[in-house]
Amino acid sequence: MSHRARRDWGLNAAIAYPLAAVAEISGCFAIWAWWRLGASPLWLAPGIFALALFGWLLAQVETSAAGRAFAAYGGIYIGASMLWMWFVEGERPDRWDFIGTSICLIGAAIILSVPRGT
């Protein structure tokens, strides 16, 4: 597959970013569970797969610069991390978590939505 064909196939950020966040957080949590919680080393195999999937998904975002894709994704990652903490770990975010996450999501929206010159 040519470089041009790969670029034309890119995913919309609204699809790629949430999927990438789930892959990254679950992959990192698998390593956390093994290292910090004493889970079986078998957790590492799906964790490594999830982290590779994360990288692939992020590379599919249609943008002219990788840094912009990574920066905008950061806001989505923060929001997804708060949801993970709440629904998987059972720790409800406090008002400062909500405020900080909101600021990050606004920043990500600005990075993704402003018109750019060619």
Side-chain angles (χ1 to χ4, degrees):
M1 180 184 294
S2 74
H3 175 69
R4 175 88 175 136
R6 283 192 305 266
R7 191 173 25 160
D8 289 344
W9 188 81
L11 287 175
N12 182 293
I15 296 168
Y17 283 162
L19 292 175
V22 170
E24 182 180 17
I25 293 167
S26 63
C28 289
F29 185 77
I31 295 168
W32 179 278
W34 165 70
W35 188 260
R36 305 276 307 262
L37 304 177
S40 166
L42 294 175
W43 278 63
L44 295 175
I48 290 167
F49 174 79
L51 290 171
L53 179 62
F54 152 72
W56 180 82
L57 284 163
L58 207 56
Q60 304 312 306
V61 174
E62 296 176 10
T63 185
S64 61
R68 187 172 293 126
F70 302 160
Y73 168 73
I76 306 307
Y77 174 80
I78 291 168
S81 295
M82 290 292 111
L83 292 172
W84 180 278
M85 181 178 75
W86 193 355
F87 294 109
V88 174
E89 298 182 77
E91 175 95 16
R92 188 179 190 282
D94 62 23
R95 70 175 173 198
W96 298 109
D97 293 324
F98 284 113
I99 292 168
T101 299
S102 298
I103 291 168
C104 293
L105 289 171
I106 290 168
I110 290 169
I111 291 169
L112 288 173
S113 65
V114 298
R116 307 229 184 252
T118 55

